[in-house]
Amino acid sequence: MARNIFSSHSAASDKASSVVVIGLGRFGGSLALELEAQGTEVLGIDSNEEIVQSFNRRLTHVVRADSTKEEVLRQLSVHEFDRAVVGIGSDIEASILTTSRILKFQHPQIWAKAISEPHAEILGQLGVEHVIRPEHDMGKRVAHLVLGSILDYVEFEDDFVMIRTSPPAGVRDRPLGVLGLRDKYGITIVAVKRPGGIWGHTTAQTVLYDDDQIIVQGSKAKAERFSTLA
């Protein structure tokens, strides 16, 4: 039976460092453990007793409960958190009901997992600002890595990306300040990592070499085009 396992102090005194994760499957479970590893106070909720037991003593708090019931969420002080992740993927009805219950609180800020385009569309129509599609997003990311010239790829909204790649031959062995990359290619090289070194910001005086790795930012088309230069 659900109970209020957070005192008003522990639930509300440091909201910025506490997150409730509902649904502890592969996505929600790994996310909850990563948050915990970063020092975040995590309340994990799942309807499966076996899953709940597997996270016992691995999360700050973990409880078996039916997240589709508003009174249960209130008993667990979900409305006092600043952030909630609805990671339910196997039961779309439970995902939608849980999300709608939390939205009624007008608090916390919600990230909700969607397993299909219609699911994502419904969550968006409910008013969820952060709809996550892990398989879809990872598929897009890996597709770019498979091309070979891109080592890592992060896509943001408004057609903006950041790409980790190797410097093309045409930008090596000369200071970045004299290359005019923004005018010529429409991109900016913002960071560089030398072999065995750590990432550092670039300057106009930075010279790149063939065994470096760089971070390129710009529009999707222009950044991808730059990464394919010989």
Side-chain angles (χ1 to χ4, degrees), residues 141 144-145 150-156 159-165 188-191 201 214-220 223-224:
R141 180 170 178 266
H144 291 282
L145 306 186
I150 295 176
L151 304 174
D152 209 346
Y153 180 95
V154 180
E155 183 174 348
F156 303 88
D159 190 40
F160 185 84
V161 301
M162 297 187 76
I163 289 174
R164 178 163 63 101
T165 186
T188 303
I189 297 175
V190 296
H201 294 293
I214 57 174
I215 300 294
V216 178
Q217 68 177 28
S219 71
K220 180 179 177 180
E224 290 179 350

